[in-house]
Amino acid sequence: SAIEIFEPLSDEETMQLARQTERRMFAPGETIIRAGDEGETMFVVNRGSVKIQAPETADNNGKTITLATLHEGRFFGEMALLTGEPRSATVIAIEESEVFEIGHDAVKRMFEANPYLAESLSDAIAERRALLDANAEAKPETMEQHRAGIFAGIKRFFRLS
Ligand code: CMP
């Protein structure tokens, strides 16, 4: 209930989500997500911190670029889960970290009960995607285009009306 994106959920919905969540521990330096992999789960940092590393591109010739550091209460892995695309970045535990892993079915149920959650997640994804694109020097899209495209993609993927 302390996690910002899930705040709108009722107590019962939060309890239900918690029951469908797997608690996982990662050691310092351990990889949680590898860029390019398939993935159908998202994660929330309950204790510790993780770093988000941009995938290697021709432009950054093997250099590792950290796009963000996420602490307690922050989420990651939502992009592949919500859009069906491969993992966009590599995520590594900085310190010993406890994360909650939430599967596709639990997220789908949550969206069906709270459709506006898909919209607020689209905002977060649009921001993150803009940073990924800036790093890869992809053609710039405006945040608004991103947001609309991502929201449409989520609705399609989860067959929401
Ligand atoms: P996903 O693509 O499933 O797997 C890698 C995750 O890294 C991605 O979901 C996001 O949760 C996270 N991520 C990617 N880019 C950023 C960013 N710029 N800032 C914060 N998190 C990001």
Side-chain angles (χ1 to χ4, degrees):
S1 60
I3 294 157
E4 203 183 320
I5 46 158
F6 299 139
E7 260 172 22
L9 300 182
S10 68
D11 288 351
E12 200 185 315
E13 285 167 339
T14 306
M15 288 290 288
Q16 195 184 0
L17 185 61
R19 278 195 293 271
Q20 294 167 323
T21 290
E22 202 175 320
R23 175 178 167 276
R24 299 186 56 191
M25 296 296 297
F26 291 92
E30 204 177 339
T31 300
I32 305 172
I33 282 179
R34 212 175 293 276
D37 283 358
E38 299 291 312
E40 286 222 321
T41 57
M42 67 179 279
F43 301 81
V44 174
V45 182
N46 191 48
R47 194 164 50 75
S49 53
V50 304
K51 60 184 169 185
I52 311 291
Q53 290 184 337
E56 284 176 24
T57 64
D59 294 335
N60 60 28
N61 53 45
K63 258 193 297 142
T64 307
I65 295 171
T66 299
L67 296 171
T69 302
L70 305 180
H71 298 275
E72 274 140 48
R74 310 300 297 175
F75 61 88
F76 60 92
E78 78 295 351
M79 289 184 167
L81 168 65
L82 299 179
T83 64
E85 288 168 11
R87 297 294 193 190
S88 62
T90 294
V91 183
I92 296 173
I94 296 175
E95 56 195 304
E96 187 174 84
S97 300
E98 182 189 59
V99 303
F100 294 146
E101 187 170 11
I102 308 168
H104 179 279
D105 291 352
V107 173
K108 181 168 166 62
R109 239 165 278 140
M110 191 171 71
F111 281 157
E112 278 164 354
N114 305 275
Y116 52 87
L117 266 185
E119 261 190 280
S120 71
L121 272 172
S122 304
D123 289 344
I125 296 178
E127 253 180 72
R128 290 177 168 184
R129 165 105 354 245
L131 203 62
L132 283 166
D133 285 354
N135 185 67
E137 291 185 313
K139 66 170 175 20
E141 268 185 82
T142 67
M143 286 280 290
E144 199 40 51
Q145 283 171 316
H146 266 316
R147 199 185 151 284
I150 293 162
F151 186 42
I154 292 175
K155 287 203 289 194
R156 231 181 2 257
F157 190 60
F158 282 96
R159 296 193 178 83
L160 301 173
S161 51

